[in-house]
Amino acid sequence: MINTLTSKALQGDQRSIAKLITIVENDTSDATDAMKQIHPHTGNAHVIGITGVMGCGKSTLIYELTKKYRKQGKTVGIIAIDPTSPFSGGALLGDRIRMMELAMDEGVFIRSMGTRGMLGGLTSSVYDVVEIMDASGKDIVLVETVGVGQAEVDIIKISDTTIVVVVPGLGDSIQTLKAGIMEIADIYVVNKADRQGVEQTVAEVQSLVEIECSNKERKTPIIETIAKESKHIDTLVETIDEHKQFLKETKKLEQQRRNRYESELVEIIRKKLMSYVFNEEKFKETIEDLLQKIRSKEIDPHTASELILKKIMKT
Amino acid sequence: MINMERKIRILIAKPGLDGHDRGAKIVARALRDAGMEVIYTGLHQTPAMIVEAAIQEDVDVIGLSLLSGAHMTLFVDVADMLKEKGMEDVLLLGGGIIPEADIPKLHEKGIAGVFGPGTTTEDIVEFVKKNVK
Amino acid sequence: MFEKETIDKIKKNKEDWEKEIYEPLINKHPERKKDFENLSAIKIDKLYTPLDIKNDNYPEDIGFPGSYPFLRGIHSTMHRGRLWTMRQFAGFGSAEETNQRYKYLLEHGETGLSVAFDYPTLYGYDSDHPLARGEFGKCGVAISSLKDMELLFKDIPIDDVTTSMTINGPAAIVWAFYIANAENRGISKGLIGGTIQNDILKEYIAQKSYIFPPEPSMRLIVDTFEYGFKHVPRWNTISISGYHIREAGSTAVQELAFTLGDGLEYVRAAMKRGLDIDKFAPRLSFFFNAHNDLFEEIAKYRAARRIWAREMKKLGAKKERSLLMRFHTQTAGCSLSAQQPEINIVRVTIQALAAVLGGTQSLHTNSMDEALALPSEKAVRIALRTQQIIAEESGVTHTIDPLGGSYYVEWLTDKMEEETYRYFDRVEKLGGVIPAIEKGFFQREIAEAAYKYQKEIDGHTRTIVGVNEYKTDEPVDIPILKMDEKGESRQIKRLNDLRKNRDQRKLDTLLEKLRKAAEGDENLMPFILDCVHQYATLGEICQVFRDVYGEYREPSLY
């Protein structure tokens, strides 16, 4: 069954792609089999990560980018990630709202995902979904995350090109934005460039670029767009292409991909390990027991973890 | 500890021209609070757009919200399309202003649950949990 | 209002009363709830006294009806001079059917007409548009052309009775249908009176029947203001609405704050174009909800009058007529139950009473079956009788602003005003109304309030009689309105005939002229009227605007 699904997905069948994504998200035993068959077919798609705070117009930007790529005859996969509630485990995935008509184009596939991860970052399944879209023949894979939690910084690990979107007049100056987010950009987009304060925002980003790129080969470009009026999207597409070329020529693409696989490996191992330790029947009693002992101060958490690891090594 | 349970994925959609989204948004939030992944399509969806989204998102449940009286056309269109695509394992629900007299016909056509005014959010959550395939 | 000595005495007496009489009792028999909150989550105290009235400079803060700040009423005679207009919102199926309903309502004593349109019409689609599938006539009347408007008002004296039309995206066009129909009947547009809702900001916020993006929509609205005061002086070219904001789940305070905020935004937009505020302001009107909390609603209307008058003065209005907050009220649809529908009559009565005591100029009372369907004849008759009983039998209209001076109501009026200004500040900090809309501010506030309310109902901390408490198993047995099944095919045939029989070449020229004008900045009303007189359909004119302005899509979930 899984083999049929995978081969159909590789041929671009939507239903199969969708079902395969569900399988890797739920991390069933089929997931490993599926990814075994998928992975060899990856490497073609240009993976573009787009992040920025709520209200910066990411979804509109993605909509416009997708339209442009479709005009160029390229097929597009879109992964829209929203945070999973750490309390309920549920998620409200609302990014599709702006893209509903887009999905009627058979060259566009949109999937909404919750972060589902304990740490709020991108789980290993996002990597898998990127691979599935890549392997199924998409030329471009756009990954969108909202600017909360760790996900926005994690996106650099997955993407070939990371775009950070800001808007003028957010109330916060760029300086106060979450540490790390501004440093991950391969391209800065100042969207809603018709708003008041755009010059100041661009200036702030520019001074950041000056500092960040003072001894780097490439100065991060800053593109002003008005996504809802489809303005300057062409420039953005060109800039993304230039970055892709840059990555190829400087062989940085390989480095990037290596980083991606390393992060993915870490995530998969972490997930599998955690699942093993906390869900396997044979460990449950041990864990409960150790937790009691930690509580009553008989043992400390570090010693407890060593005991667990020893037990794993033995199995 | 780590929640490795399968998540129920549910599409909440507003077919047709009806713009009353108070209920749809409340239901979406309640389902999220019950641990489900809720994809909200927004307003003015055609049955084709809804089914397309259901395919790509591989949802377990579709919830249609409509208060304009056009349910016999639009809910049935969605149900028929799902049947055509062999997606009858997707649980199809409808909510809004739906006269009692229309409910048996909707059930016949494949809409498994119909939720009118006075429904609690718990009613819907329970129904989904109990009937999702 | 009271001298300091008296206030001090009251204060002491209150403290004594609390210590010696009140507390001993609640220690033995506690109150039913820990806190009594109204629907805006404002804590309501057990008793209000002169101590609670902050704005107690009677001449300046409270004043007299018909003079600034209009707290007690916009006219000096109010309902003693003229009862509110009894204006029942109605419309379903095809124009012929609705025409019958209008005649029925007029026969039974309604004093103004109010048109409900179906969804395709609200969105500017003709009845035979693919997106109209299944929606024809379901929640209002289908109007696709001047011909339909002619049938809608056949044999109805529109020179004698005013008509309110609940239409927003295509408001200018539907207004043009009405004007053209009057002109064809030999009635000068200088004489016709009525209202178009034409309030696009609340569409983005709550009702969601927008078509075009904000900028061109505002342009169209200001065009109607200008055309109105120049050519149709008895017409209210906007009904700035809170009803829908409330229906979407907002609190009373939010309804008040967001509505007045929208209103001021329209005034600024018109002034930006260079229109004289004292020319267009007298024709701005408002539309509020009447929900369950009797006193909160009354306080809301009073606060609205005072805030509007003050803010309009600040914006430079000099004429008194520019300061008047004239409003229509509708009882809250969202408060009606599908269960035990007869009890809705009671709800509507309380709500209608609030509107009357609050000084409304016009009132629609919901019918008991409206949680289930559009009103049947019997149900709408009872709704009308509700207003008539209040008017004729209850005695509340013997005096103006009867609740003025109530310590509770004056306190609550002041409190709601305070909360409203707090919202004004927040919106200003976000950059104004339109940036706040783009940021989803209003939508989020409303969704939060709606969710909280639902959770209270689900959790039984808020009782809705018949729904989560005092339930019965009795099946609901009331007659439901049935529509004419042949209505849709009749309408489509009418549309086809219309398209065949008109001068298409002449129309095409006029539509082209309209397109050019839409791209420029001339007032669009004359161009629209020209097309309408040539029997352009609603869909055809809206398509021109769709092509030039594009369509608006909601930005995000909240």
Side-chain angles (χ1 to χ4, degrees), chain B residues 16-22 25-26 29-30 33 40 43-44 68-70 73-74 77 97 117-118 120-122, chain C residues 119-120 123 131 133-135 138 207-208 247-249 334 339 371-372 448 450-451 453-455 458 553 557-558:
Chain B
L17 300 175
D18 174 31
H20 298 98
D21 55 6
R22 173 178 179 171
K25 285 181 172 175
I26 288 176
R29 189 165 161 175
D33 287 347
Y40 178 63
L43 303 171
H44 314 147
S68 65
T73 316
L74 296 172
D77 281 354
I97 303 289
T120 65
T121 52
E122 278 93 30
Chain C
Y119 262 114
Y123 280 105
L131 286 174
R133 176 174 154 69
E135 314 252 21
K138 286 270 165 36
Q207 186 166 235
K208 314 289 170 90
E247 291 293 294
C334 61
Q339 297 76 8
L372 298 164
E448 281 297 322
Y451 193 66
Y453 188 77
Q454 187 62 40
K455 279 275 147 227
D458 290 350
R553 262 246 164 226
L557 185 47
Y558 291 113

Side-chain angles (χ1 to χ4, degrees), chain C residues 275-292:
Chain C
L275 300 183
D276 179 355
I277 191 175
D278 285 314
K279 286 240 167 69
F280 66 81
R283 278 300 168 195
L284 304 173
S285 67
F286 287 82
F287 173 27
F288 285 110
N289 197 304
H291 208 284
N292 287 327

